Amino acid sequence: MNHRNGFNPLSRTTAHRRAMSRNMVTSLFRFERITTTRSKALEVRKAAEKLVTRSKVDTVHNRRQAAKFIQDEKILNKLFTEIGPRMKGRRGGYTRILKLGFRQGDAADVVILELVDYKLDTDAEEKKADKKAKKAEKTAEAPAEKKSAEASAEKKSAEKAKKAPAAKKAGTAKAKAPKAAKKAADEGAEKKE
C-alpha cells in the first residue's frame, strides 16, 4: 500500500534523487523549459514552486535557503532578480506540465515542464530562417562564381599552353646551339691533328 507516502522515490537512492532534483530544478530556471518524464516532472515541480515562492521576497535568508538547493550562482541570481519579480502577482502555480506522448524506447510518458510565463523565442527562429535564406542565396551565387573562376582558370591554362610550345621551341634552339658548338669544336680539333 502507498498510503501517506509524501513523495515518489523514482527507484533511486536518496543521494541520487536529491542530486537529480537539484540539477533538474537548476535546468528549469536556466532554460525555463525542460523535457522529462511525467513522474520526474511532478517531483521537480514541488521543489521549483517552493523556490519561486521564496524568490518573490529577496532577502539574505531566502537567498541562503535557495542556495542550499541551487549551487549555480548565476542561476540563483536569475531566480531572485528575474523570475521572482515576474511572478510577484501570482499566488502559486508557477509551472505547467504539457504532455508530449510516449518515449520510443521504454514507453515512458514524456512531458514538458515549463514556467507559466515562458514565451517561445520566435525571433530566434526567424533569424535562423533568415540565415538559411542567405546561405541558400550564397550557394546559388557560388556556382556562378565557380563557373567564372573555372573559365578564368581555363583561359590561364590555355595561355600557358600557348606559351609552352614557344618556350619548348626556344628551349630546343638553345639545346641545339651547344650541340653545334661541340661539333664545331670537335671538327676544329680534328683539323689540327
Side-chain angles (χ1 to χ4, degrees), residues 160-177:
K160 286 181 182 178
K162 288 179 183 176
K163 290 179 182 177
K168 284 183 182 177
K169 289 178 184 175
T172 55
K174 289 179 184 175
K176 288 180 182 176

Side-chain angles (χ1 to χ4, degrees), residues 48-57 62 79 91-92 94:
E49 299 260 346
K50 290 177 183 177
L51 287 171
V52 172
T53 301
R54 278 204 181 271
S55 71
K56 288 163 74 173
V57 180
N62 284 344
L79 176 65
R91 294 188 177 189
Y94 311 111

Side-chain angles (χ1 to χ4, degrees), residues 7-24 43-44 69:
F7 64 96
N8 183 353
L10 299 171
S11 301
R12 287 165 170 78
T13 60
T14 304
H16 185 185
R17 187 175 57 251
R18 284 181 182 162
M20 184 193 65
S21 179
R22 287 175 178 174
N23 289 334
M24 290 182 76
E43 286 303 308
V44 168
F69 208 81

Side-chain angles (χ1 to χ4, degrees), residues 38-116:
R38 183 175 175 274
S39 54
K40 285 181 192 174
L42 292 172
E43 286 303 308
V44 168
R45 178 186 219 175
K46 293 176 188 177
E49 299 260 346
K50 290 177 183 177
L51 287 171
V52 172
T53 301
R54 278 204 181 271
S55 71
K56 288 163 74 173
V57 180
D58 191 2
T59 62
V60 174
H61 177 68
N62 284 344
R63 278 189 181 255
R64 286 180 177 163
Q65 292 298 314
K68 284 182 184 178
F69 208 81
I70 299 172
Q71 273 78 34
D72 192 348
E73 290 181 18
K74 290 179 182 177
I75 303 305
L76 184 67
N77 192 33
K78 179 181 178 180
L79 176 65
F80 279 90
T81 57
E82 294 177 26
I83 297 172
R86 280 192 336 222
M87 303 290 185
K88 275 272 199 224
R90 284 188 175 273
R91 294 188 177 189
Y94 311 111
T95 60
R96 78 166 60 99
I97 294 177
L98 305 171
K99 295 180 182 179
L100 285 180
F102 298 100
R103 193 159 55 195
Q104 179 91 30
D106 59 355
D109 197 5
V110 180
V111 298
I112 292 176
L113 176 65
E114 67 181 10
L115 296 177
V116 172

Side-chain angles (χ1 to χ4, degrees), residues 184-193:
D186 290 336
E187 289 174 5
E190 288 176 3
K191 287 181 183 176
K192 288 181 184 177
E193 295 177 353

